[in-house]
Amino acid sequence: MKPLFGKVALVTGASRGIGKGIALSLGEAGAKVYITGRTVEEGKSASCLSGTIHQTVEEVIKLGGECVAIQCDHSIDSEVEAAFNRINAENKRLNILVNNVWGGYEHYTDGTEFWHEKGFWTVPISRWDAMFQSGVRANYISSVLAVPLLMQQDDSLIITLSFFVAQRNDKGVAYGTAKAASDHMVACMAEELREHNIAAVSLYPGLVRTESVMKAAKHLDLSNSESPQFIGRAVVALASDTDIMKKSGRVLVAAKLAQEYGFTDINGEQPRPLTAQDV
């Protein structure tokens, strides 16, 4: 039997990239996967990258999984509430929430000068606002709405995607502060959720071969990179762990989890775990 058969999961921001990879892995593991995203028509994304929520659904189904797409802008509370209302109406519960949605990257691949500014005082204020509004706050709102559903059964889990820049002081004030806020938010959530047997963790990927990364592949060393599904396999491993509460409140690294749980990337390789000094 598939390890997550009968489980209900939500992955936010799954039109492409890491979110899509997580949805694929969860579906392959037997979970009923709900995904959210803004892009429903190819070529219409704010980031100018390929991928839609409907394409993600099709790929999950090809792997033998079940997937439901909900168009949702996580900066609009009413749309987020509607998404959770639908999950509640159709399932009366939720087992796994993956907070993947994040703002601030909208101009990363459209030719706009991005992250080459010399000093935080030259960075557009809109980038700070996007990372907190469509990142930290969006993950908080999803978690708030998810908890009543997660309480309906034991061993529920909230996973929030974060990154090593939370532990650095030289990767941009807005970026570093937002990721550090996410990690601390998860730790505080874990403290309050412990009595309800709901785990909350931060999950760090390495260098992931997302659509945006592959557009710049010729400038990057991808020898230790990870597929988006590799992060998904980390999510599956965590969601299958009957002792997951022992990890609640912690920052976890996907490649270290691969060594612990014994899974590999889709090419059979096991990427080397990165540290904050590597990024």
Side-chain angles (χ1 to χ4, degrees):
M1 183 178 290
K2 296 183 177 181
L4 298 182
F5 180 79
K7 302 286 188 180
V8 179
L10 169 62
V11 184
T12 67
S15 299
R16 62 188 65 82
I18 289 176
K20 178 179 179 179
I22 293 171
L24 292 174
S25 295
L26 285 169
E28 192 173 29
K32 179 180 181 181
V33 186
Y34 285 82
I35 62 169
T36 61
R38 292 178 297 182
T39 310
V40 295
E41 185 179 347
E42 182 66 40
K44 298 294 185 180
S45 74
S47 61
C48 300
L49 294 170
S50 63
T52 71
I53 53 175
H54 301 305
Q55 289 173 1
T56 298
V57 168
E58 290 175 2
E59 293 190 35
V60 172
I61 292 173
K62 285 180 181 178
L63 292 173
E66 182 179 3
C67 189
V68 179
I70 303 175
Q71 185 178 19
C72 177
D73 184 334
H74 279 266
S75 67
I76 302 174
D77 290 353
S78 60
E79 293 190 11
V80 184
E81 291 170 358
F84 278 92
N85 287 340
R86 177 174 175 181
I87 294 171
N88 183 37
E90 295 177 0
N91 305 276
K92 302 300 182 186
R93 63 189 172 86
L94 182 68
N95 300 92
I96 306 155
L97 168 65
V98 182
N99 286 317
N100 172 70
V101 70
W102 191 261
Y105 299 134
E106 287 77 7
H107 300 292
Y108 194 79
T109 57
D110 66 359
T112 304
E113 187 75 4
F114 188 88
W115 284 0
H116 297 297
E117 299 91 351
K118 303 299 182 182
F120 69 88
W121 54 93
T122 68
V123 176
I125 299 298
S126 60
R127 192 173 307 153
W128 173 284
D129 292 340
M131 289 184 177
F132 277 87
Q133 178 74 16
S134 300
V136 181
R137 185 182 186 278
N139 292 336
Y140 177 75
I141 296 300
S142 291
S143 300
V144 167
L145 295 171
V147 167
L149 297 178
L150 294 168
M151 284 182 177
Q152 301 305 310
Q153 58 283 307
D154 293 331
D155 301 324
S156 296
L157 175 61
I158 298 174
I159 297 175
T160 300
L161 274 292
S162 190
F163 197 53
F164 296 99
V165 294
Q167 302 170 9
R168 296 283 297 258
N169 297 328
D170 60 345
K171 296 298 179 179
V173 175
Y175 190 30
T177 303
K179 288 300 186 184
S182 287
D183 284 355
H184 190 60
M185 178 179 70
V186 168
C188 292
M189 285 180 179
E191 185 70 20
E192 296 189 12
L193 291 171
R194 195 171 302 278
E195 65 179 288
H196 301 287
N197 206 40
I198 300 172
V201 301
S202 292
L203 180 60
Y204 287 10
L207 175 60
V208 183
R209 296 188 296 276
T210 61
E211 292 85 352
S212 60
V213 166
M214 295 311 295
K215 287 187 71 170
K218 64 180 180 181
H219 305 296
L220 299 170
D221 178 5
L222 299 178
S223 60
N224 190 52
S225 62
E226 304 165 0
S227 74
Q229 292 97 311
F230 181 69
I231 314 304
R233 291 183 175 186
V235 169
V236 170
L238 291 170
S240 303
D241 188 343
T242 56
D243 290 323
I244 187 60
M245 291 303 299
K246 293 180 179 179
K247 288 182 168 63
S248 191
R250 291 171 51 188
V251 169
L252 306 172
V253 178
K256 283 187 177 180
L257 293 176
Q259 295 174 347
E260 177 183 349
Y261 290 112
F263 64 86
T264 64
D265 207 338
I266 56 175
N267 59 5
E269 296 181 357
Q270 196 170 73
R272 173 180 57 83
L274 301 180
T275 68
Q277 286 68 44
D278 294 319
V279 301

